Amino acid sequence: MSEFSHLSDKGEAHMVDVGDKNDSQRLARAYARVACSQAILSALADQSAAKGDVLATMRIAGIQAAKKCSDIIPLCHPLMLNKVSIDIELDPAKHCVHIYSLCKVSGKTGVEMEALSAASVAALTLYDMCKAIDKGMVIEEVKLLEKQGGKSGHWKSE
């Protein structure tokens, strides 16, 4: 069971003690892709969605999700984030929206879950705000792109 830091020797879930770790600069980048119709892409491009500015709302929702990550994922530590950003690219050629999140912290534990939560909730917000246009959107992918800092060092997706 020792492979999983969130499991005790008895196999019980617990919050990892990071008290003895040194603070270090940590960064994580994540990605989400939402397949959608041309009608949605057009509404995003010309800001004509009935619910308002979808892209701004996606950014705010993603930032809020990163800040509240420990409230929704039980064993995550609350973090004092230094930076959260959400970048959104419309891709009409591939009929999708690309969402990139970046989280930074100076702390004892990483920000991967915060970055993944930010990208995921930004994607869910897109769905919520545009479902009246087309309910057939698909959140196709959510993944970690990169993490830096901490004992395991730098990791980057291929």
Side-chain angles (χ1 to χ4, degrees):
M1 294 286 178
S2 63
E3 295 177 45
F4 298 105
S5 60
H6 286 86
L7 294 179
S8 71
D9 292 339
K10 297 177 185 177
E12 300 165 333
H14 70 100
M15 189 176 207
V16 175
D17 182 356
V18 297
D20 293 333
K21 289 180 153 186
N22 292 321
D23 284 355
S24 67
Q25 296 299 314
R26 296 163 184 269
L27 170 148
R29 292 185 314 111
Y31 170 77
R33 181 177 63 241
V34 181
C36 56
S37 66
Q38 187 57 46
I40 289 173
L41 290 165
S42 295
L44 295 174
D46 63 19
Q47 295 188 10
S48 64
K51 287 191 175 182
D53 188 340
V54 177
L55 301 179
T57 306
M58 289 170 63
R59 286 185 196 96
I60 293 166
I63 291 166
Q64 208 47 30
K67 291 167 57 174
K68 294 292 191 176
C69 185
S70 66
D71 290 344
I72 58 173
I73 300 178
L75 300 178
C76 283
H77 292 83
L79 300 178
M80 285 294 293
L81 296 167
N82 296 335
K83 179 176 180 65
V84 179
S85 65
I86 306 290
D87 293 312
I88 303 163
E89 295 176 9
L90 306 181
D91 190 345
K94 294 184 180 175
H95 301 281
C96 68
V97 176
H98 305 281
I99 303 163
Y100 299 91
S101 66
L102 167 72
C103 293
K104 290 183 178 180
V105 70
S106 176
K108 299 175 184 294
T109 189
V111 289
E112 297 92 342
M113 295 310 300
E114 289 73 11
L116 287 161
S117 293
S120 299
V121 169
L124 289 168
T125 301
L126 169 59
Y127 190 95
D128 178 52
M129 293 188 74
C130 293
K131 66 184 181 254
I133 299 169
D134 181 4
K135 292 174 183 51
M137 288 174 281
V138 178
I139 299 171
E140 295 182 316
E141 183 174 25
V142 176
K143 68 178 183 178
L144 185 68
L145 295 176
E146 179 180 17
K147 60 99 32 207
Q148 295 178 16
K151 186 171 69 173
S152 63
H154 187 221
W155 177 88
K156 197 167 186 175
S157 174
E158 294 182 20

